[in-house]
């Protein structure tokens, strides 16, 4: 059945205009006025924006870490994402040394099959870059449609790869048309600082931040950029949190290097003081990189506005405070790293960004959806509202306000890091490929409706 969304204001990365949107099946078939509805279901969006569905380029669902597993799987995580205005995610598929890449990918498909509520793709972690792995990558990129590869520069003896692995991955990615992502922190230095902290009896959550200083992020970012330049390749720095990393990315882009950056809502709205909350409450805010001094927020907002950073991902990696985060009582290194962030990414960027004038409305769409679609090989199928594009549409009331709370969120976790924060604007309804997932703030989707996206090769946007 056709659907006609009337009386809304369409907002894309390039334009803002009033128009009706006609949907047939999974796609938009017409945009304009006085459209021939032909018996279509009419949806009134008076007073609302019509945004392209959000694309979250950075999630960790059903992921093992630190002796436990994230609280949100592909069903609860993607349902929460939909309530927050996100219609596509790209999740990180972990690999292990000695394991074939195809086996790792099968494992991640098994986690998502018949569970995902919205569409999804995978990034692939590269743990080693021997001849076998480098050869397997051609099939991963060309046949699996997984066109982004992640290398960790931190988490020594767990995920961390050496510079040779990163460099070889960059060279191979250039050949195959893949985008290399880095978690940019100096894992060797951090490992030393952690051992010193524990030897000195410093075990509280705040020491998670003190042992992962901004300079360690800036150094690793600069090193990754230098290797990218040497390989003449392309690089995407995930979860940028501080001025030191922003400066390295800005310098690289000024030189014309093919380098991109992502930040996250937590770094835009929270700061290091949250890690000092009493009664171990600071553990709720333990993730990597850690929260920074508050002044870094202005640097990040400016970088988004000026195009130094292109995207905002959630880095969703949820663990319950009780039964998971509290594994680290008495030793901050045992606190599972990550937070429940997938649901509020869209709202915080709108409220703190577009509503407050830090970024324009069109930049909001670009940052939450369009640029990720372009960087990760999904545009124009995803990331815009246009004839022929997937009908991934968010009906958003800019005049409403809501208070973020674990009591009302849809993530499968017992706290919300933004608890009590009032935000302007509210998601009313969400369509994924023409079907409602959320309608008038009620869930009407179904597990398994989400589809795996085989993405196109990287092209410089």
């Amino acid at each position: 059945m056709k659907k006609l969304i009337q009386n809304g204001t369409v907002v894309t990365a390039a334009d803002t205009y009033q128009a009706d949107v006609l949907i047939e099946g999974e796609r938009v078939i017409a945009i304009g006025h006085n459209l021939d509805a032909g018996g279509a279901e009419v949806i009134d969006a008076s007073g609302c924006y019509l945004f392209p569905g959000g694309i979250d380029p950075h999630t960790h669902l059903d992921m093992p870490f630190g002796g436990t597993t994230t609280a949100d799987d592909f069903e609860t995580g993607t349902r929460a994402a939909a309530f927050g205005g996100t219609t596509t995610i790209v999740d990180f598929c972990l690999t292990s040394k000695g394991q074939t890449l195809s086996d790792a990918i099968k494992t991640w498909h098994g986690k998502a099959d018949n569970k995902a509520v919205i569409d999804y793709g995978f990034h692939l972690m590269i743990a080693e870059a021997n001849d076998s792995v480098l050869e397997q990558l051609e099939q991963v990129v060309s046949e699996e449609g997984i066109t982004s590869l992640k290398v960790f520069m931190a988490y020594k003896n767990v995920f961390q790869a050496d510079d040779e692995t990163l460099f070889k991955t960059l060279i191979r990615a250039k050949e195959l048309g893949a985008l290399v992502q880095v978690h940019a922190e100096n894992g060797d230095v951090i490992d030393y600082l952690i051992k010193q902290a524990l030897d000195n009896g410093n075990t509280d959550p705040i020491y998670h931040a003190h042992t992962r200083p901004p300079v360690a992020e800036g150094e690793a970012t600069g090193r990754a950029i230098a290797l990218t330049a040497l390989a003449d390749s392309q690089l995407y720095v995930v979860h940028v949190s501080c001025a030191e990393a922003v400066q390295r990315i800005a310098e690289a882009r000024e030189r014309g290097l093919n380098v991109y950056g992502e930040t996250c809502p937590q770094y835009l709205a929270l700061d290091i003081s949250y890690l000092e909350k009493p009664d171990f409450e600071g553990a709720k805010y333990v993730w990597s990189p850690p929260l920074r001094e508050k002044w870094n927020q202005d640097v990040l907002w400016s970088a988004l506005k000026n195009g130094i950073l292109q995207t905002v991902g959630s880095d969703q990696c949820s663990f319950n405070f009780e039964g998971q985060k509290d594994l680290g009582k008495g030793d901050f290194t045992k606190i599972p790293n990550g937070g429940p962030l997938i649901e509020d990414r869209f709202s915080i960027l709108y409220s703190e960004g577009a509503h407050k004038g830090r970024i324009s409305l069109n930049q909001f769409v670009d940052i939450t959806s369009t640029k990720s679609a372009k960087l990760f090989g999904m545009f124009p199928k995803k990331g815009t509202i246009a004839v022929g594009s997937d009908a991934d549409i968010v009906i958003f009331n800019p005049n409403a306000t809501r208070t973020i709370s674990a009591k009302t969120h849809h993530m499968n976790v017992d706290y919300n890091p933004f608890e009590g924060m009032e935000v302007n604007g509210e998601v009313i309804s969400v369509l994924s490929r023409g079907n409602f997932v959320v309608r008038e703030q009620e869930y009407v989707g179904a597990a398994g409706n989400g589809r795996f996206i085989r993405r196109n090769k990287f092209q410089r946007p």
Side-chain angles (χ1 to χ4, degrees):
M1 183 180 181
K2 292 181 181 179
K3 296 182 178 71
L4 180 65
I5 306 177
Q6 290 184 327
N7 306 316
T9 299
V10 176
V11 187
T12 69
D15 299 297
T16 303
Y17 57 93
Q18 288 196 319
D20 300 338
V21 179
L22 184 61
I23 299 165
E24 184 172 16
E26 297 185 347
R27 291 182 172 82
V28 175
I29 62 168
I31 301 173
H33 298 284
N34 303 313
L35 298 177
D36 182 6
E41 176 189 1
V42 176
I43 300 137
D44 184 15
S46 296
C48 292
Y49 290 132
L50 304 183
F51 291 135
I55 297 174
D56 190 339
H58 191 158
T59 68
H60 301 280
L61 301 177
D62 196 1
M63 188 191 84
F65 184 85
T68 187
T69 302
T70 54
D72 281 292
D73 63 9
F74 273 83
E75 182 174 357
T76 64
T78 56
R79 183 169 64 234
F83 271 101
T86 293
T87 56
T88 304
I89 64 165
V90 192
D91 200 76
F92 283 94
C93 171
L94 300 185
T95 62
S96 302
K97 291 182 178 180
Q99 178 189 32
T100 66
L101 301 182
S102 61
D103 281 348
I105 294 166
K106 285 177 184 175
T107 297
W108 243 254
H109 276 299
K111 293 174 182 286
D113 285 348
N114 301 313
K115 285 190 174 182
V117 168
I118 57 175
D119 290 350
Y120 60 95
F122 297 146
H123 308 295
L124 184 68
M125 172 190 167
I126 303 299
E128 56 186 342
N130 56 37
D131 290 344
S132 174
V133 168
L134 294 174
E135 184 178 341
Q136 291 172 58
L137 284 177
E138 183 171 4
Q139 186 264 339
V140 168
V141 172
S142 298
E143 297 179 27
E144 297 280 356
I146 297 174
T147 55
S148 43
L149 312 170
K150 184 177 184 181
V151 178
F152 284 89
M153 301 174 77
Y155 299 115
K156 189 169 183 176
N157 300 319
V158 182
F159 297 141
Q160 183 177 334
D162 58 22
D163 287 351
E164 180 183 357
T165 296
L166 174 55
F167 187 57
K168 286 181 175 179
T169 302
L170 284 161
I171 292 172
R172 189 65 169 139
K174 175 70 173 180
E175 296 169 348
L176 297 175
L179 180 58
V180 177
Q181 303 163 291
V182 286
H183 176 136
E185 291 183 288
N186 189 315
D188 292 332
V189 169
I190 289 168
D191 186 62
Y192 174 79
L193 294 174
I194 286 172
K195 289 174 180 175
Q196 277 204 320
L198 295 179
D199 287 347
N200 292 327
N202 297 323
T203 61
D204 291 338
I206 187 61
Y207 288 96
H208 174 76
H210 292 336
T211 56
R212 305 181 88 99
V215 68
E217 183 181 345
E219 184 280 329
T221 302
R223 181 158 36 102
I225 288 168
L227 295 176
T228 301
L230 187 60
D232 188 26
S233 191
Q234 48 271 347
L235 182 74
Y236 178 99
V237 184
V238 302
H239 50 43
V240 173
S241 72
C242 62
E244 286 84 347
V246 169
Q247 181 180 354
R248 299 298 182 94
I249 295 168
E251 291 168 352
R253 291 181 62 80
E254 286 174 7
R255 292 166 52 198
L257 297 180
N258 209 353
V259 173
Y260 309 91
E262 160 202 289
T263 189
C264 306
Q266 54 271 36
Y267 305 120
L268 295 168
L270 305 176
D271 63 74
I272 193 171
S273 66
Y274 286 80
L275 285 154
E276 298 180 292
K277 284 179 175 284
D279 300 322
F280 199 63
E281 290 279 323
K284 294 177 178 180
Y285 304 90
V286 167
W287 44 67
S288 300
L291 293 172
R292 305 300 191 186
E293 296 289 344
K294 190 173 180 64
W295 62 267
N296 287 277
Q297 293 174 5
D298 290 337
V299 176
L300 295 172
W301 280 113
S302 178
L304 287 171
K305 182 177 181 63
N306 296 327
I308 296 166
L309 300 178
Q310 291 72 40
T311 66
V312 168
S314 68
D315 196 8
Q316 162 77 13
C317 193
S318 61
F319 298 98
N320 283 300
F321 181 57
E322 295 186 5
Q324 290 187 300
K325 288 282 189 179
D326 55 11
L327 293 170
K329 282 187 175 178
D331 183 349
F332 71 89
T333 68
K334 292 182 170 59
I335 302 170
N337 277 218
L341 302 150
I342 200 169
E343 187 167 352
D344 299 306
R345 177 188 74 104
F346 198 86
S347 287
I348 286 172
L349 197 70
Y350 177 82
S351 184
E352 294 296 304
H355 179 76
K356 292 186 176 181
R358 289 179 166 125
I359 55 174
S360 71
L361 200 57
N362 304 107
Q363 284 180 312
F364 164 78
V365 171
D366 196 36
I367 292 164
T368 56
S369 182
T370 309
K371 197 67 79 180
S372 288
K374 291 179 176 179
L375 286 167
F376 296 110
M378 295 181 279
F379 188 84
K381 182 181 176 69
K382 305 286 188 186
T384 191
I385 298 175
V387 173
S389 296
D390 282 359
D392 296 345
I393 297 173
V394 177
I395 301 175
F396 187 88
N397 181 359
N399 299 311
T401 59
R402 71 181 181 95
T403 301
I404 297 174
S405 176
K407 293 178 181 179
T408 53
H409 75 200
H410 301 87
M411 295 174 286
N412 186 38
V413 69
D414 60 5
Y415 79 99
N416 191 301
F418 305 108
E419 185 72 36
M421 182 178 177
E422 186 174 87
V423 290
N424 292 92
E426 191 168 32
V427 173
I428 302 301
S429 298
V430 177
L431 295 95
S432 172
R433 285 183 284 105
N435 295 309
F436 281 104
V437 182
V438 176
R439 184 161 191 165
E440 298 293 331
Q441 299 181 312
E442 294 291 331
Y443 177 63
V444 294
N449 281 353
R451 185 179 296 166
F452 176 72
I453 303 166
R454 285 179 169 79
R455 296 180 285 117
N456 297 323
K457 293 183 179 182
F458 173 80
Q459 291 186 334
R460 191 167 188 164

